[in-house]
Amino acid sequence: MTIILQNSIPFDPLTPRPLPGIQPTSLDTWLHRDDAFAAQMQHREALLRERRDDVLALDTFAEPAAQEVLDLVLQHAYPGCSDHVVRPDGKEVSVDHKNPMDTLCRLVQEDICILQKHGDEHVLTGAILCFPASWRLSEKFMRPLVDIHVPVASYDENIARRVQRLFDGIQPDRPLWRFNALWYEDAELHQPRSENARRETTTPGDARYLRSERQTLLRLPKTRAVVFSIHTYVLEASSLPKMENPA
């Protein structure tokens, strides 16, 4: 088990919001860097090297969108860079435009999922997913939103319709974000789990770690794909303020 913890989190993950819990944000705050940057990036590179088929998938149809995401990340996270970048941890990374998802994995802490409209639904057509919270990329790749969220009990038909309308309405340069709060007994960031192997729910008062994902939705202006990015924070539960009504 790899233990990588943040010292703080830039939002309050313990304030519950009804699904889908979406709020507006801006491209200026699309990507985050925190005190776990160096350790998370090392873990991401190791996973890409050792478990590539588990953490990366890209349909041919999604390749232009992946290129567009990479260009956008370079523009916002590494302005002025094109062929190589020097990360904040001092690591030099070559920008491989032929393998955009590999490069994205090495540039930012966020996992990146690409969803494109096929018929009436958005489908997961590409992803670099190093830090899944109890799901497997292989089981969700090329599946629509409603299938991706199986077996989330609260994701019923009503929520599914609302989320699809939300995806249809996302506009370029007007990203949206939400967060969750998940309680785990261990701090490992790479937590793949089959949808047929449900994780035992850990109650807040008993869990050792709080895992919170800052999830952002962004429309790409050229390919019109939706980018779902996930920045994962893990904190020791003992460092959090006491909760009268934990959720």
Side-chain angles (χ1 to χ4, degrees), residues 164-200:
Q164 183 55 60
R165 286 197 300 269
L166 174 70
F167 269 65
D168 288 338
I170 297 171
Q171 298 299 317
D173 301 322
R174 298 177 65 182
L176 304 169
W177 80 284
R178 67 180 298 274
F179 63 84
N180 59 19
L182 308 168
W183 300 95
Y184 278 78
E185 277 303 305
D186 66 80
E188 173 58 54
L189 287 157
H190 184 66
Q191 294 261 5
R193 181 178 292 271
S194 172
E195 64 184 36
N196 297 316
R198 300 289 295 274
R199 181 176 73 92
E200 284 190 24

Side-chain angles (χ1 to χ4, degrees), residues 21-32 72 76 110 112 166-167 169-178 214-221 224-230:
I22 296 293
Q23 307 170 67
T25 186
S26 70
L27 278 171
D28 292 337
T29 59
W30 171 38
L31 303 169
H32 280 194
L72 198 62
H76 286 275
E110 282 78 8
I112 302 289
L166 174 70
F167 269 65
I170 297 171
Q171 298 299 317
D173 301 322
R174 298 177 65 182
L176 304 169
W177 80 284
R178 67 180 298 274
R214 181 182 186 270
Q215 304 171 346
T216 307
L217 294 166
L218 173 67
R219 172 82 66 193
L220 297 176
R224 306 296 295 176
V226 173
V227 178
F228 179 60
S229 61
I230 309 164

Side-chain angles (χ1 to χ4, degrees), residues 23-77:
Q23 307 170 67
T25 186
S26 70
L27 278 171
D28 292 337
T29 59
W30 171 38
L31 303 169
H32 280 194
R33 290 174 184 158
D34 57 50
D35 55 307
F37 180 88
Q40 282 200 0
M41 297 309 295
Q42 290 174 15
H43 197 17
R44 292 172 67 79
E45 291 197 76
L47 288 165
L48 182 63
R49 183 173 59 251
E50 298 166 8
R51 306 191 64 170
R52 179 185 177 85
D53 290 344
D54 294 330
V55 302
L56 190 152
L58 185 65
D59 183 64
T60 302
F61 181 70
E63 289 177 358
Q67 295 284 352
E68 190 175 3
V69 180
L70 176 56
D71 291 341
L72 198 62
V73 166
L74 289 171
Q75 176 186 341
H76 286 275

